[in-house]
Amino acid sequence: MSKVYQRVLLKISGECFSHDKLFNSVVTQIAQVAKSKTRIAVVIGGGNIIRGRTARIGCLDPTRVDSTNQIDPIAADRAGMLATIINGIKLADTLQKYSTPVEHFAAFAVGDFIQTYNNERAQESLTAGKVLVLSGGTGNPFFSTDSAAALRAVELKMDIILKGTRVGGVFSADPEKNPKARLYKRLTYKEALAKGLAVMDLTAFALCQTHRLPIIVFDITQPGAILKVIRGEKIGSYIC
Ligand code: UDP
């Protein structure tokens, strides 16, 4: 079967790091892709450790509303970005144990053990067949790792963004709560926006739309799912 996508940006959420079975499956799948001719960069979430948005109100006593209970939004987002770096260290280390060539870039300087993201160096590593692990989000507060995925995908001239989730794609309602939820196999950016579907956050979505970068949302919990998507099997939801 011929491969359809040569350069892919995989976005995985922090949730992939919170269950050993899922984490191992995702690592195995990325290692499989690395053995193929497809170049892959992985943007990492940090929601398993801290998510800026919820940390502001939920991390301390949520019943107290005085200022001592508020984490500064910028501080919370900085913590969130660091969380993605922790996950990045784990992913890069595990991929190396699978004998997969890997380069970890963080969006901002964290120490000489991780390179700071630089587009030219990242392109070189990708061309050399290394898996790029991209952590630290965009390096700025008030963004998400979805925005980082869109940004890096555009910078690295990727063919597509693959958004790995726990469900089979984009649905008309939450399929984990509503058994009648309908899977959308194909959507335009406009339709996804008009229907208010939570594909990615708006900043990420706008960037994809502007640069005509398609997105496939698929169930990453299924073994071999990443390779199937890359080989053009019609799974998940395709947004373009
Ligand atoms: N974050 C940020 N800027 C970015 C990317 C992430 O401030 O460019 C922070 C933000 O607080 C976010 C957290 O890092 O909640 C973790 O990222 P995200 O919520 O996107 O992770 P995921 O939901 O994919 O696990």
Side-chain angles (χ1 to χ4, degrees):
M1 205 184 295
S2 67
K3 284 184 200 72
V4 171
Y5 301 111
Q6 305 297 321
R7 295 167 74 89
V8 299
L9 188 301
L10 174 69
K11 160 72 209 297
I12 55 173
S13 74
E15 204 181 7
C16 290
F17 292 79
S18 46
H19 311 286
D20 284 348
K21 200 171 156 215
L22 178 56
F23 178 72
N24 290 333
S25 160
V26 170
V27 174
T28 308
Q29 293 187 54
I30 296 170
Q32 280 170 352
V33 176
K35 288 200 184 97
S36 74
K37 287 203 174 82
T38 295
R39 303 291 186 239
I40 183 166
V42 190
V43 167
I44 317 288
N48 56 317
I49 300 172
I50 182 169
R51 217 171 249 133
R53 220 176 30 241
T54 43
R56 280 166 221 160
I57 49 168
C59 158
L60 302 175
D61 178 358
T63 59
R64 287 176 52 196
V65 290
D66 60 276
S67 61
T68 57
N69 187 32
Q70 304 288 310
I71 298 178
D72 176 78
I74 295 175
D77 279 344
R78 284 177 179 158
M81 287 186 277
L82 286 173
T84 72
I85 293 173
I86 294 171
N87 285 338
I89 291 171
K90 178 171 172 177
L91 179 62
D93 181 68
T94 314
L95 280 167
Q96 269 159 2
K97 292 202 170 86
Y98 278 65
S99 303
T100 302
V102 59
E103 199 78 67
H104 182 183
F105 291 95
F108 48 91
V110 282
D112 56 11
F113 53 95
I114 302 174
Q115 292 201 61
T116 304
Y117 184 81
N118 167 286
N119 190 52
E120 287 69 30
R121 280 206 304 272
Q123 295 274 17
E124 275 168 26
S125 298
L126 202 61
T127 306
K130 292 184 181 175
V131 174
L132 300 189
V133 171
L134 305 176
S135 67
T138 62
N140 294 292
F142 306 115
F143 287 96
S144 70
T145 49
D146 278 356
S147 308
L151 175 68
R152 298 301 183 219
V154 172
E155 283 184 298
L156 292 164
K157 299 184 173 58
M158 296 306 204
D159 298 332
I160 193 151
I161 294 182
L162 308 180
K163 180 163 170 162
T165 69
R166 276 194 325 189
V167 293
V170 182
F171 287 82
S172 54
D174 183 347
E176 289 180 340
K177 291 183 189 145
N178 183 348
K180 289 193 178 145
R182 193 163 67 85
L183 172 73
Y184 295 110
K185 291 203 164 158
R186 199 180 172 101
L187 281 162
T188 62
Y189 301 113
K190 215 169 157 187
E191 283 167 337
L193 280 173
K195 290 179 199 292
L197 301 169
V199 179
M200 287 186 136
D201 62 64
L202 278 180
T203 315
F205 213 59
L207 208 52
C208 292
Q209 192 173 11
T210 306
H211 293 271
R212 297 180 182 279
L213 189 63
I215 307 161
I216 293 180
V217 182
F218 70 104
D219 183 356
I220 200 168
T221 67
Q222 299 302 312
I226 304 176
L227 264 186
K228 283 184 187 163
V229 177
I230 287 172
R231 288 175 176 164
E233 282 191 37
K234 302 250 175 299
I235 58 170
S237 302
Y238 183 85
I239 301 125
C240 63

